Amino acid sequence: MPTNIPNLLTWFRIWMIPVFVCLLYLPDTLLDVHQKHLFSTLIFALAAVTDWLDGYLARSLNQTSAFGAFLDPVADKLMVAAALIVLAELGQVAAFIAFIIIGREITISALREWMAQIGASKSVAVSMIGKVKTAFQMLAILLLLYQEPVMGVSAHQVGTWLIYLAAVLTLWSMVYYLMLAMPQISRKQRE
């Protein structure tokens, strides 16, 4: 396991997950609701920044590694899943939306692993639709965590619209990746 700055940032993101989750369940006597919203949003935003930063540093410092390439998406998916599960439990996100997004992540991760095993990983490389889906998803989660109006606009309402849009893009991107993989799947079934 290579120890370098990008991998340490990825580990830091994983270590923030229990802090993030516990923060939202602290009694109101320790942190009021406003503080919980603010701090959980800041922690999630920090996780998003470290996600971008670890990739940037890995490339610019030439510190990419197979372990880092494995751990980085795992950290991302764990943080997003934790946020969606907590938001669903707190009634801020519909459970079926959380299921769609988390289910897609599991499905596409398994598909990518299988495609890598058969030497066709480039067939399901990250696409623009996946990047757009991620951007909407991250912004939606930030707004749903914050909950409070931003410049007179309801963060909850905008976050809800964006998470529904992210769910549609999630399904679209899953179908897109499955269609890209279909020729390889068909070929393997004939063998």
Side-chain angles (χ1 to χ4, degrees), residues 170-182:
T170 293
L171 291 172
W172 183 8
S173 68
M174 183 173 75
V175 169
Y176 173 78
Y177 288 126
L178 289 170
M179 289 178 67
L180 286 177
M182 199 55 67

Side-chain angles (χ1 to χ4, degrees), residues 4-5 9 17 21 31 35 40 51-52 67 70 85 88 90-91 95 100 108 119 134 136 139 148-149 152 168 172 179:
N4 55 38
I5 294 170
L9 284 171
I17 295 168
V21 171
L31 284 180
Q35 291 169 325
S40 64
D51 178 29
W52 171 82
F67 181 74
F70 157 77
I85 290 167
L90 296 175
I100 287 170
I108 298 305
T134 299
F136 281 120
L139 183 57
E148 298 175 28
V168 169
W172 183 8
M179 289 178 67

Side-chain angles (χ1 to χ4, degrees), residues 7-169:
N7 286 351
L8 290 174
L9 284 171
T10 303
W11 278 114
F12 174 71
R13 199 159 67 250
I14 292 170
W15 295 326
M16 285 193 315
I17 295 168
V19 173
F20 167 79
V21 171
C22 289
L23 174 75
L24 289 165
Y25 289 101
L26 286 174
D28 291 344
T29 54
L30 291 176
L31 284 180
D32 65 32
V33 173
H34 169 74
Q35 291 169 325
K36 289 179 189 179
H37 291 169
L38 178 62
F39 293 142
S40 64
T41 303
L42 290 173
I43 289 172
F44 193 85
L46 180 61
V49 169
T50 60
D51 178 29
W52 171 82
L53 185 61
D54 67 16
Y56 172 78
L57 290 175
R59 289 183 297 277
S60 65
L61 299 175
N62 197 26
Q63 293 184 347
T64 58
S65 66
F67 181 74
F70 157 77
L71 191 62
D72 181 63
V74 169
D76 301 343
K77 287 165 184 40
L78 287 173
M79 188 64 162
V80 167
L84 287 171
I85 290 167
V86 169
L87 285 168
E89 185 175 321
L90 296 175
Q92 303 304 319
V93 170
F96 80 93
I97 294 293
F99 175 77
I100 287 170
I101 294 171
I102 295 168
R104 180 264 187 204
E105 295 303 331
I106 293 168
T107 302
I108 298 305
S109 293
L111 178 67
R112 284 192 173 124
E113 184 172 330
W114 182 72
M115 295 296 280
Q117 287 177 0
I118 64 169
S121 60
K122 290 184 182 177
S123 300
V124 287
V126 176
S127 70
M128 183 53 72
I129 188 173
K131 291 179 181 182
V132 171
K133 180 267 313 173
T134 299
F136 281 120
Q137 176 181 284
M138 299 304 256
L139 183 57
I141 291 171
L142 285 168
L143 291 170
L144 290 167
L145 287 169
Y146 189 63
Q147 285 292 305
E148 298 175 28
V150 178
M151 297 184 292
V153 177
S154 169
H156 176 73
Q157 189 64 49
V158 174
T160 300
W161 292 335
L162 288 175
I163 203 70
Y164 277 93
L165 181 56
V168 169
L169 291 172

